[in-house]
Amino acid sequence: MKESLYRRIARELAQQILSGQYPVGSLLPTEMALCEHYQVSRHTMREALRDLTEQGLITRRKGSGTQVADKAQHKGLNHPLACLEDLFFLAKNNPRVVKRIDEVVADYDLAQTIGCEQGSRWLHVASIREDSENKDAPICWTDSYASATFTKVRQLVRSDPFALISDLIETHYGIQSEEVRQTIFAVTVSAKIAKVLGVEPGSPALKIVRRYLDRDGNTFETTISVHPADRYACSIVLTRAKG
């Protein structure tokens, strides 16, 4: 589904707010200045600002301008996911710390989860995503599974901690992500990873499984991330289908 112009502008402004480019309490540029910057009509810009208002990121008062709201302080918590670029934004602001790299053979359960044939070999990267502002409270634990033929990934994930593994594969192997299929579950944190995440075993969490598909519809990487409930909010934009 093609993203509308005003939603793209709203997403870009939201990223700038959540990254701290516009701190809490500061004013965004005037509506006219934003129109000139993005080369859009006032109607389009007002729709974009309305979207940000509904997200709780800004407040608008006549004669006072557009102010960044207190909610934007929780920039490590809220992550808009309207398109693939939003995943890149999340990665570039929260470094990966690799805990283990090995090769695994997919059993039945793993094959069902990551979308592969049972008995196939996969490169497994276990890591956390640090919160750039609180290293004692990682955003998530992630188990990434990529084709075992992508041998360069072993070194690349350590040398470039801000890149998505899918992005590294694209850059070095010429495979492009055409689609990401995402499934979200409510789970509890296992004892195995609770200490690393700094939470109690059995505490609530979100489990997000993302399958990265190439142009032929084949899965070339799957990530399974567990986010403690108080450290992640996934914002997804839904629009009405046209036609």
Side-chain angles (χ1 to χ4, degrees), residues 81 83-96 98 125 127-129 140 142 144-146 150 152-153 156-173 175 177 179-180 182 210 212 220-225 227 232:
L81 286 176
C83 63
L84 295 182
E85 285 73 20
D86 288 330
L87 290 176
F88 302 146
F89 176 79
L90 171 61
K92 288 179 180 178
N93 286 273
N94 302 281
R96 174 180 49 247
V98 176
V125 179
S127 64
I128 61 171
R129 280 283 178 187
C140 66
T142 300
S144 301
Y145 298 90
F150 301 145
K152 294 179 183 178
V153 170
L156 294 171
V157 293
R158 297 184 187 277
S159 62
D160 192 349
F162 291 96
L164 290 172
I165 294 177
S166 60
D167 199 25
L168 295 173
I169 293 172
E170 177 178 343
T171 300
H172 294 272
Y173 290 93
I175 298 176
S177 301
E179 181 177 296
V180 178
Q182 177 172 273
R210 296 188 180 104
Y212 293 79
F220 66 90
E221 188 209 358
T222 297
T223 62
I224 305 170
S225 299
H227 299 261
Y232 189 89

Side-chain angles (χ1 to χ4, degrees), residues 1-154:
M1 183 180 298
K2 186 176 181 181
E3 185 180 25
S4 63
L5 179 57
Y6 85 86
R7 288 195 183 278
R8 179 180 64 79
I9 294 171
R11 176 171 56 80
E12 291 180 7
L13 288 172
Q15 290 176 347
Q16 292 169 17
I17 291 170
L18 295 173
S19 68
Q21 183 173 332
Y22 295 111
V24 171
S26 67
L27 295 177
L28 293 186
T30 65
E31 185 178 289
M32 187 59 68
L34 289 170
C35 287
E36 292 177 359
H37 176 74
Y38 286 101
Q39 294 294 294
V40 296
S41 68
R42 294 187 70 177
H43 172 75
T44 298
M45 184 52 62
R46 285 173 179 169
E47 285 297 297
L49 295 175
R50 179 183 59 79
D51 193 301
L52 293 176
T53 302
E54 290 178 352
Q55 292 184 51
L57 294 178
I58 62 172
T59 57
R60 306 191 73 198
R61 293 182 181 177
K62 190 173 182 179
S64 300
T66 302
Q67 189 175 48
V68 177
D70 289 342
K71 181 179 177 180
Q73 286 182 319
H74 304 291
K75 62 185 179 182
L77 175 66
N78 187 62
H79 302 286
L81 286 176
C83 63
L84 295 182
E85 285 73 20
D86 288 330
L87 290 176
F88 302 146
F89 176 79
L90 171 61
K92 288 179 180 178
N93 286 273
N94 302 281
R96 174 180 49 247
V97 178
V98 176
K99 296 298 184 179
R100 185 174 72 257
I101 300 177
D102 55 11
E103 276 194 27
V104 298
V105 176
D107 59 16
Y108 176 81
D109 289 338
L110 182 59
Q112 292 297 306
T113 300
I114 69 176
C116 69
E117 292 185 4
Q118 185 175 346
S120 57
R121 300 190 67 84
W122 291 79
L123 180 66
H124 169 230
V125 179
S127 64
I128 61 171
R129 280 283 178 187
E130 284 188 341
D131 185 328
S132 56
E133 296 187 350
N134 185 0
K135 293 185 178 180
D136 294 328
I139 291 175
C140 66
W141 172 281
T142 300
D143 290 296
S144 301
Y145 298 90
S147 170
T149 61
F150 301 145
T151 56
K152 294 179 183 178
V153 170
R154 289 178 176 270

